[in-house]
């Protein structure tokens, strides 16, 4: 905070706009607070795995600063780009009602913030309560530009579980010794796959199973008999992860900023983009024969066995403050194997919304206006004339990815501006509701001809208030794989999941329309499908994409344009005059 004096007039203008637009009541008990932050994004030297490199970081911190707010608050963040490349920041899981302008994805809702420039984001919290996060939404900058958003209950409201003694963000990430932006450039040029990460990280540290990593290992100090809330975030670029704490079970109480019916597990499976709020009861500290230190550990969960995988284990230490120190290494938790699809599926099947009077669900059950079946594929495209392609599975091609066989092309003007100002030729409003061809999507030996995709900037336009159902269908093209599909601007109900090809006649009968989890990122199972539903009541332009960054840049994306409704409170806010130019 602080340091934003010069920007005050803009901030005040924006706040005024928000207050007027939201019609915030004057009642002091209800008034949303506004929290101000300054983010200075610049190159910072960081040493991991015996390698020093300059990474982009916010305020010199990696992971970056935590944003704290209460439900319904407005957060204003002045982002100062003091680095040498274009960036944007996204507030992952914040619905931003009527406020797509400040959502963040580059060339979708804004043009990037140029080096030396600043941009002030207004982040409007509404129904979210729990853990969300923020991250860069430009190129691969998210690798090191990310942090937690903690949303506490409103003043006077309580958690739907006993108040934890302390709350601890646990940010899972990935580390590359190489420069990630150079890596991205290289793969764009050659059409090859990305190098796997050199380590997973917990709060920015790989932990002491890695060389040169003993001193930096992150530690969580606990007191015997107290309960802690771990706010686990998977900020990884390419991996889902298993997470566990030796000697302790975890009670899962929330995901993606919404409460769950509590359930207790030995390990968590968290997809890239998701958050899991878990309670840890520190019961084991001084029991006879017990260690006073335990490893917390994170390991990749990866389903595509045709690809190389980082199967190393990141560690942090859970340490009892009041127990006598013990010699020897801490115990490691039992984590499922890196490709244990059954363990991941069993975990995810337990997610159910809390669904109480204080935290009700509102599942659209009666009617669906837009039925979409969206296939998810890794593909190839012919190698371009000036490109030297390598590594792709068919000669003369490069890797690509698609939704319904459309490989999304990022436009040069943001889609939101094109929509708002009716600029033609930026996108086509014809993203298909079905795949162009029905085949056995999960057949492990597909014909080569099926691997080819087509490029386009094709978006799906829906009426305000429409009930949308999207069934994501994984395909086995270049290997079945779990994909964490993320939608901006909305949380959605995950009403069904299953393996094999989705059966329109049979599978909807298995939907959970009573207490499905309310998330912003759904784990589509490898070789299977997942169905989500949402009411399109948030007008704007909203990115939808796989949260694995290499799939995002390969085109596993599309955009929802949700039209304005009739009443003023069903319409997008006007374009702020401060938007960066392309
Ligand atoms: Cu967490 Cu579009 O991103
Ligand atoms: Cu993916």
């Amino acid at each position: 905070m602080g340091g934003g004096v010069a920007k005050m007039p803009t901030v005040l203008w924006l706040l005024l706009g928000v207050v007027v637009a939201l019609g915030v009541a004057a009642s002091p008990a209800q008034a949303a607070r506004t929290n101000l932050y300054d983010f200075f994004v610049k190159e910072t030297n960081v040493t991991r795995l015996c390698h020093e490199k300059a990474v982009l970081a916010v305020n010199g911190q990696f992971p970056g600063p935590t944003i704290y707010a209460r439900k319904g608050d407005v957060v204003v963040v002045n982002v100062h780009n003091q680095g040498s490349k274009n960036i944007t920041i996204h507030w992952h899981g914040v619905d931003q009602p009527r406020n797509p302008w400040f959502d963040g994805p580059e060339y979708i809702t804004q043009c990037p913030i140029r080096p030396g420039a600043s941009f002030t984001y207004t982040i409007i919290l509404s129904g979210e309560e729990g853990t969300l996060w923020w991250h860069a939404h430009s190129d691969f900058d998210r690798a090191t530009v990310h942090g937690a958003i903690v949303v506490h209950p409103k003043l006077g409201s309580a958690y739907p579980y006993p108040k934890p003694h302390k709350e601890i963000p646990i940010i899972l990430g990935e580390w590359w010794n190489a420069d990630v932006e150079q890596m991205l450039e290289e793969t764009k040029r050659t059409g090859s796959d990305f190098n796997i990460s050199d380590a997973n990280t917990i709060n920015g540290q790989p932990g002491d199973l890695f060389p040169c990593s003993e001193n930096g290992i992150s530690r969580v100090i606990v007191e015997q008999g107290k309960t802690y809330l771990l706010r686990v975030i998977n900020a990884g670029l390419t991996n889902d992860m298993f997470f566990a704490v030796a000697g302790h079970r975890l009670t899962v109480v929330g995901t993606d900023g919404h409460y769950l019916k509590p359930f207790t597990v030995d390990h968590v499976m968290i997809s890239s983009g998701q958050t899991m709020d878990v309670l840890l009861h520190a019961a084991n500290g001084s029991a006879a024969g017990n260690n006073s230190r335990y490893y917390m550990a994170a390991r990749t969960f990866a389903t595509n066995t045709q690809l190389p995988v980082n199967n190393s284990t990141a560690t942090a230490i859970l340490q009892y403050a009041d127990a006598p120190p013990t010699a020897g290494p801490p115990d490691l938790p039992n984590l499922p194997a890196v490709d244990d699809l059954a363990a991941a599926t069993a975990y995810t099947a337990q997610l159910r919304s809390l669904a109480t009077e204080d935290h009700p669900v509102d599942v659209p059950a009666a009617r669906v206006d837009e039925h979409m079946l969206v296939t998810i594929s890794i593909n190839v495209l012919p190698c371009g004339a000036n490109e030297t392609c390598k590594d792709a599975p068919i000669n003369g091609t490069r890797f690509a990815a698609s939704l319904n066989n459309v490989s999304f092309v990022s436009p040069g003007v943001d889609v939101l501006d094109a929509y708002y100002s009716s600029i033609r030729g930026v996108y086509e409003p014809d993203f298909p509701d079905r795949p162009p061809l029905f085949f056995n999507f999960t057949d492990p030996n597909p014909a080569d001809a099926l691997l080819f995709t087509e490029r386009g900037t094709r978006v799906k336009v829906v009426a305000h208030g429409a009930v949308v159902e999207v069934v994501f269908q994984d395909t086995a093209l270049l290997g079945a794989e779990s994909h964490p599909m993320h939608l901006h601007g909305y949380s959605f109900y995950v009403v069904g999941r299953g393996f094999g090809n989705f059966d329109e006649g049979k599978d909807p009968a298995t939907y959970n329309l009573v207490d499905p989890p309310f998330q912003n990122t759904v784990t589509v199972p490898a070789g299977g499908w997942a169905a989500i539903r949402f009411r399109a009541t948030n007008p704007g332009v909203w990115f939808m994409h796989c949260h694995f960054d290499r799939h995002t840049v390969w085109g596993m994306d599309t955009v929802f344009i949700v039209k304005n409704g009739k009443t003023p409170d069903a319409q997008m806010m006007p374009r702020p005059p401060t938007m960066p130019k392309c």
Side-chain angles (χ1 to χ4, degrees), residues 122-453:
T122 301
I123 303 142
I124 302 172
L125 293 164
S126 51
E128 307 88 356
E129 183 172 317
T131 308
L132 301 171
W133 59 301
W134 56 266
H135 61 78
H137 214 304
S138 44
D139 300 329
F140 272 15
D141 303 329
R142 165 156 81 87
T144 51
V145 178
H146 60 248
I149 302 178
V150 169
V151 187
H152 287 123
K154 282 198 166 146
L155 216 56
S157 304
Y159 293 111
Y161 44 81
K163 192 173 188 301
H165 179 61
K166 272 195 182 132
E167 306 181 6
I168 300 152
I170 301 283
I171 302 180
L172 311 180
E174 289 174 80
W175 173 264
W176 279 263
N177 288 330
D179 182 298
V180 288
E181 299 300 339
Q182 276 170 18
M183 220 169 67
L184 175 61
E185 285 316 309
E186 160 85 4
T187 57
K188 276 186 182 166
R189 202 164 42 76
T190 63
S192 62
D193 200 354
F194 298 91
N195 294 336
I196 57 168
S197 49
D198 295 293
N200 293 326
T201 54
I202 300 178
N203 289 341
Q205 292 287 347
D208 56 6
L209 304 184
F210 289 89
C212 311
S213 304
E214 222 172 291
N215 292 336
I217 191 168
S218 47
R219 283 167 201 274
V220 172
I221 314 289
V222 296
E223 287 171 50
Q224 164 87 12
K226 305 226 153 116
T227 299
Y228 296 80
L229 175 63
L230 308 183
R231 298 179 176 274
V232 188
I233 296 165
N234 186 349
L237 259 62
T238 62
N239 290 338
D240 292 343
M241 300 212 209
F242 291 113
F243 171 79
V245 183
H248 297 75
R249 305 198 79 202
L250 302 169
T251 301
V252 186
V253 294
T255 181
D256 288 6
H258 300 287
Y259 292 114
L260 294 170
K261 286 193 173 66
F263 61 98
T264 301
V265 290
D266 292 320
H267 59 259
V268 161
M269 197 292 287
I270 180 165
S271 283
S272 172
Q274 291 178 335
T275 72
M276 294 285 164
D277 283 0
V278 305
L279 296 172
L280 175 143
H281 185 60
N284 286 356
S286 48
N290 267 338
N291 209 324
S292 61
R293 292 177 304 147
Y294 298 83
Y295 271 131
M296 317 175 91
R299 173 186 290 161
T300 304
F301 164 55
T303 43
N304 192 342
T305 43
Q306 298 183 27
L307 297 177
V309 51
N310 161 14
N311 68 0
S312 60
T313 303
T315 55
I317 288 180
L318 182 83
Q319 185 165 347
Y320 280 79
D322 45 357
T326 34
D331 288 340
L332 263 174
N334 286 320
L335 283 167
V338 70
D339 60 350
D340 193 340
L341 180 58
T345 306
Y347 174 82
T348 306
Q350 296 181 75
L351 303 181
R352 292 160 68 205
S353 278
L354 183 58
T356 57
E357 207 173 300
D358 286 345
H359 300 282
V361 292
D362 184 18
V363 191
R367 60 156 227 278
V368 171
D369 304 302
E370 298 275 358
H371 279 280
M372 299 175 73
L373 176 67
V374 175
T375 52
I376 304 174
S377 305
I378 309 290
N379 306 93
V380 295
L381 277 165
C383 188
N386 304 320
E387 296 170 348
T388 17
C389 295
K390 60 170 198 197
D391 296 346
I394 296 179
N395 272 343
T397 65
R398 55 184 298 129
F399 277 105
S402 67
L403 297 176
N404 275 349
N405 213 36
V406 182
S407 186
F408 187 81
V409 177
S410 186
V413 176
D414 61 280
V415 176
L416 177 54
D417 251 340
Y419 169 60
Y420 192 76
S421 308
S422 306
I423 305 169
R424 289 161 147 270
V426 175
Y427 65 87
E428 296 303 324
D430 62 354
F431 181 81
D433 287 343
R434 325 233 105 205
L437 185 70
F438 280 74
F439 55 98
N440 180 1
F441 300 124
T442 51
D443 179 351
N445 297 304
D448 271 5
L450 292 169
L451 296 181
F452 286 83
T453 183

Side-chain angles (χ1 to χ4, degrees), residues 90 92 105 133 135 137 142 273 486 488 543 545 547:
H90 167 56
H92 181 119
W133 59 301
H135 61 78
H137 214 304
R142 165 156 81 87
H486 171 49
H488 290 220
F543 203 25
H545 61 96
H547 213 271

